[in-house]
Structure formats: structure tokens, C-alpha cells
Amino acid sequence: MRMFRKATGLFCLVNSRGWKPPFIAPLRSPVLDSPFPTRGFAVMLTEDLQQRSARTIMNTYARLPISLVRGKGCKVYDAEDREYLDFVAGIAVNALGHGHPDLVTAIERQARHLLHTSNLYYSEPQVLFAERLVAHSFADKVFFCNSGAEANEAAIKLARKYSFDKYGPDRHEIITMNNSFHGRTLATLTATGQAKVQQGFAPLPQGFKYADFNDVASIERQMDQRTAAVMLEPIQGEGGVVVAEGAFLEQLHALCRDRDVLLIFDEVQTGVGRTGTLFAYEQYNVRPDIMTLAKGLGGGLPIGACLATDDVAQAFGPGSHASTFGGNPLACAGALATLNALLDDRLLERSRAAGAYLHKGLQTLQNRFSVVTAVRGLGLLQGMELSIDGQSIVQDCLARRMLINCTMGNVLRFVPPLIVTNEEIDRLLDVLSGVLTKRLESLPHS
């Protein structure tokens, strides 16, 4: 038998055949006392969920030992109704936080009308969303898909097709950066400049070279007559929250123009307001030829996009690329609501101010704690590098009901919803201060 907590506030036992014994334990659930009850859903207790997950789901994630069941704003609640402050936001996905009314309304309305049609037919939500993206970016055309990896796959194919049409089959190589991250498909895994994520998947696709981030000379050394494009992230999120230098991007842009090489910006993590502007490239005197988006694009719905100028986009014709689910009505309706909220509700301005406040607070911690070796980032994509293991800090914060993330083993990453308040940032800083104080006390003194 397994125990479920139902949103009615009662605990009940259910056996493997779905039969419920006549006895219902008269225990009131704290869910009923919450201002945001999970109405109509049975909530499985975390321990049971972990065991069943281990039996049925492939072991590809190192999950933390909590089960999140609902959220509101920047807060989430687990199956035992404990509250957490969320500075992960689904890894930079929940741009509007949890349960934003505009997003919920858009999803509910579209779900009542039409969920999916395929791209054999025209779709109004898709066209409206594409028009909004084009109006607020450098791009002229958009291709919709379902994730960041798919968006980057589209960018890789588009760059190669453009170069094939213009120069022939020998010009197909793409230069990416060391410590980059572009996805988990075979092509994007190869584009990712980290050997650890490629291990065990050989033979990898050919046609990729690697250069050092923030080093134009390193990129130029890799360029030759076979180079079709250079692909990079304005901020290497998975690579430790390393920010591109303005002079680097300007020099790279000039180099690409001189060699007629396409410049691709992977803004899967930095796009959609994450850095304080709608797209990170806006903070540099540079416009790419191709840009990829996902994560925050749908506010929590799975959607990705590859944007390009007209000159480049014309390389794709019917049959050259496709996606069954890409740009479906439900995802585009939610994404349009997300984008409208960012543009119309002054959330970009708020996120810039919140990002500056968070950055300053993290710098204060750096001045106080010797184990904090660097603070870097733009907007609400901030990183704090440590001289000690970062994952243990993540665990300590979890115990204090604070959700954060760690990359590269020792860089704490903070990507809260763009609606985060200064008070919520203060709570994060207080938790980090307490955790670091305790950790320093436990370290051996020389």
C-alpha cells in the first residue's frame, strides 16, 4: 500500500490495485491552511516518490531530496508543505515566477480552444509571438522548436546551409568556446566545449573546433577557409557564470565580418530579460546573425526559438528543417503572455535594479568571507565563485529552505524569477552569510 495526501486535507491509503480501505485517517493536511492549496490533486509523499522514481525513471539527474508540488511568486512548496525561496527558477526558466496570473490565464484560454495542430497549418498564436520577437530584436525571421538544444541544432544547421549555398560543401566548420554549454543532443554536445559531457558518446560529429572565451586571437587561430560560423554564449552560465567582455565581442564581430563568418549568440540562458535587457546582446555594441532562445521564453512552458536576419534565414526552405511540436498554439500563447508581461509591466527595469542589488550584496559577502574568490554576472544571472566545494553549500542552503544551484563544482549560480524583491534577496544573503559562517568554523585552521 502507498500513502497519498489529497488536497481535501485527508490522508488515505491506496493499494496497488487502486482499492481504498473504508478507514480514512482523520488527519488534517496543512495544505488546506495554505493560501494556495493544490486543489484536486493527490500529493505523493517524497520518500515514496523517490522510491518509485528509482524504479521507473532513467538515472540521468542528481536530484535533491525534495518533491515540489506548487508555487507562488518566488516561493515553492514541497509535498510536506514546507516553503522554499526559489533562486533557481527551474534553471532560469520561470521568468515571471510561479503562478503568474497573465501566464495562467493565457494557458487556460488557449487550452480550451486548441492545444496542437502541427506546422502543416497556420497558427495565430505562433504568428503573433513571432511578430513580437522580431519587433523587439535584430532578427527578421524565427524558427520555433521545443528546447535550447533544439534551437542550437537549428542554428548549426542554418549556418551550415547558408555557407553551403554561398561557398559550397567545404565551408562547414563551427568554432565554439572552451567551457561552453550548448545542449545534450549529439551535435550540441559536440559544440559544447567541455570534455566531461562528451565522454562515452564517441564518435562525435565532425566539424567543430574550440577556442578560448574572451580571447579573439585564440578564435582567429582556429579560423580558415572551412569556417562557417562562431558560436558562443554572452555569459557562460554552465561554465561558471563567466561574462563576455565588451571589447572581445566587438573585436570578434569585426573579425567575423571581415572573414564573412556568421556570428551565433546562444542566448538560451541569457535571453528574455535574464541579464536586465530583453537580450544580452543589447548590452554590447554587437548584433549577431543568428540567436537562440529557450528557458525563460515560455515562462515555464517548453519552447525554443532560432532567430536570424533575412539574409541568413533564406537558407532554410520547406523541408530543410522542421519540428512537430515547435511553436504549437499552447506554448506560443504562454510565451506571448510572458513576453508581453516583460515588455509592458516594466519588469525589465525591475530586474535590472534587482540584479544590481543582488550583485552588490554578493560583493559584500566576498569582502567578509575569504572563501568567496569572485562575484560576476549581469542582471539576475549572478555567480559567486568559492575556494571550497559549492555543492555542499547548496545542500546547506536547502536545509534552510533556500534553493540555489552550483556549476563547475565551486560556482554558486543565482537565477531567481525576474519578479524577485529586495526583501527576498536580503533573505538569500542572510542564509548565505549563516551558511558560510558555519562552514568557515568547521574548516581546519592553519
Side-chain angles (χ1 to χ4, degrees):
M1 288 192 177
R2 293 185 290 272
M3 180 173 283
F4 290 84
R5 185 179 68 192
K6 293 190 66 78
T8 56
L10 298 175
F11 285 84
C12 61
L13 294 174
V14 181
N15 70 10
S16 59
R17 296 179 181 175
W19 173 79
K20 287 187 293 186
F23 173 75
I24 300 178
L27 297 176
R28 184 171 178 80
S29 165
V31 171
L32 273 186
D33 301 320
S34 165
F36 312 110
T38 314
R39 295 187 181 91
F41 292 94
V43 179
M44 208 180 303
L45 298 180
T46 300
E47 184 177 357
D48 187 35
L49 191 65
Q50 288 176 296
Q51 294 170 357
R52 294 174 67 176
S53 173
R55 290 195 297 268
T56 57
I57 297 177
M58 291 188 187
N59 186 30
T60 57
Y61 305 103
R63 301 180 195 267
L64 293 171
I66 60 172
S67 169
L68 301 179
V69 298
R70 59 190 175 88
K72 189 68 175 179
C74 293
K75 297 173 182 174
V76 290
Y77 301 82
D78 68 12
E80 287 72 37
D81 210 46
R82 291 175 294 230
E83 179 185 285
Y84 301 82
L85 192 54
D86 186 6
F87 271 74
V88 177
I91 316 179
V93 167
N94 302 106
L96 303 181
H98 303 277
H100 191 282
D102 291 356
L103 180 56
V104 170
T105 298
I107 293 171
E108 288 179 340
R109 182 187 301 119
Q110 186 60 47
R112 280 193 290 267
H113 290 290
L114 192 65
L115 289 176
H116 178 73
T117 63
S118 87
N119 284 297
L120 294 174
Y121 316 103
Y122 291 99
S123 166
E124 181 176 320
Q126 185 181 107
V127 172
L128 293 176
F129 184 43
E131 287 177 340
R132 196 78 155 133
L133 281 176
V134 166
H136 291 277
S137 74
F138 73 91
D140 302 304
K141 294 289 192 300
V142 185
F143 173 84
F144 289 116
C145 51
N146 310 287
S147 68
E150 288 181 60
N152 286 331
E153 285 270 359
I156 290 166
K157 286 184 64 176
L158 180 59
R160 285 186 168 179
K161 184 63 164 57
Y162 173 85
S163 293
F164 177 89
D165 290 348
K166 192 170 183 178
Y167 293 102
D170 293 334
R171 192 176 172 110
H172 63 274
E173 291 184 345
I174 296 175
I175 300 171
T176 63
M177 304 299 108
N178 290 318
N179 290 324
S180 60
F181 184 84
H182 297 293
R184 299 281 185 177
T185 65
L186 205 54
T188 57
L189 181 105
T190 308
T192 294
Q194 298 187 51
K196 65 182 181 183
V197 304
Q198 300 171 350
Q199 187 174 357
F201 299 106
L204 299 176
Q206 297 180 345
F208 294 91
K209 291 182 175 180
Y210 310 101
D212 294 333
F213 193 56
N214 277 327
D215 187 343
V216 173
S218 174
I219 297 173
E220 189 170 12
R221 285 194 295 271
Q222 297 292 344
M223 277 191 180
D224 56 31
Q225 69 275 10
R226 295 183 296 271
T227 305
V230 175
M231 184 176 188
L232 58 81
E233 307 150 276
I235 301 177
Q236 292 188 327
E238 296 294 329
V241 192
V242 181
V243 183
E245 298 169 0
F248 162 69
L249 289 184
E250 290 178 15
Q251 292 167 19
L252 176 59
H253 182 263
L255 176 64
C256 289
R257 288 292 172 268
D258 182 61
R259 304 288 184 90
D260 197 21
V261 168
L262 296 179
L263 182 58
I264 305 170
F265 277 8
D266 176 346
E267 292 224 30
V268 167
Q269 189 163 158
T270 59
V272 199
R274 176 55 54 188
T275 65
T277 49
L278 191 57
F279 309 113
Y281 81 80
E282 297 176 83
Q283 301 189 41
Y284 301 93
N285 189 29
V286 171
R287 289 187 173 194
D289 301 292
I290 302 172
M291 176 175 68
T292 58
L293 303 171
K295 288 194 179 289
L297 191 62
L301 291 171
I303 184 171
C306 176
L307 289 75
T309 61
D310 258 331
D311 181 50
V312 177
Q314 55 79 32
F316 270 175
S320 58
H321 199 49
S323 171
T324 296
F325 292 103
N328 70 76
L330 182 67
C332 283
L336 181 60
T338 300
L339 186 58
N340 286 341
L342 288 175
L343 294 172
D344 300 339
D345 295 345
R346 302 184 67 179
L347 287 184
L348 292 176
E349 182 180 333
R350 273 183 61 186
S351 71
R352 280 195 297 273
Y357 188 81
L358 173 57
H359 188 83
K360 183 178 179 181
L362 294 174
Q363 287 180 320
T364 300
L365 293 179
Q366 181 183 6
N367 294 333
R368 289 179 52 201
F369 298 98
S370 60
V371 295
V372 181
T373 59
V375 171
R376 52 184 178 257
L378 288 176
L380 287 172
L381 173 49
Q382 295 289 328
M384 187 166 75
E385 186 171 344
L386 307 174
S387 60
I388 59 175
D389 173 59
Q391 194 57 45
S392 61
I393 303 299
V394 172
Q395 296 281 357
D396 291 345
C397 287
L398 177 66
R400 300 186 184 211
R401 311 287 175 82
M402 180 68 61
L403 303 184
I404 65 171
N405 178 243
C406 178
T407 70
M408 300 301 285
N410 68 325
V411 179
L412 303 182
R413 177 172 50 176
F414 310 98
V415 283
L418 305 186
I419 61 170
V420 68
T421 64
N422 286 359
E423 291 75 19
E424 289 166 331
I425 292 172
D426 286 339
R427 182 179 162 195
L428 167 74
L429 297 172
D430 287 343
V431 168
L432 287 172
S433 177
V435 166
L436 291 172
T437 297
K438 186 174 180 180
R439 184 50 57 99
L440 281 176
E441 291 173 351
S442 68
L443 292 177
H445 297 284
S446 56

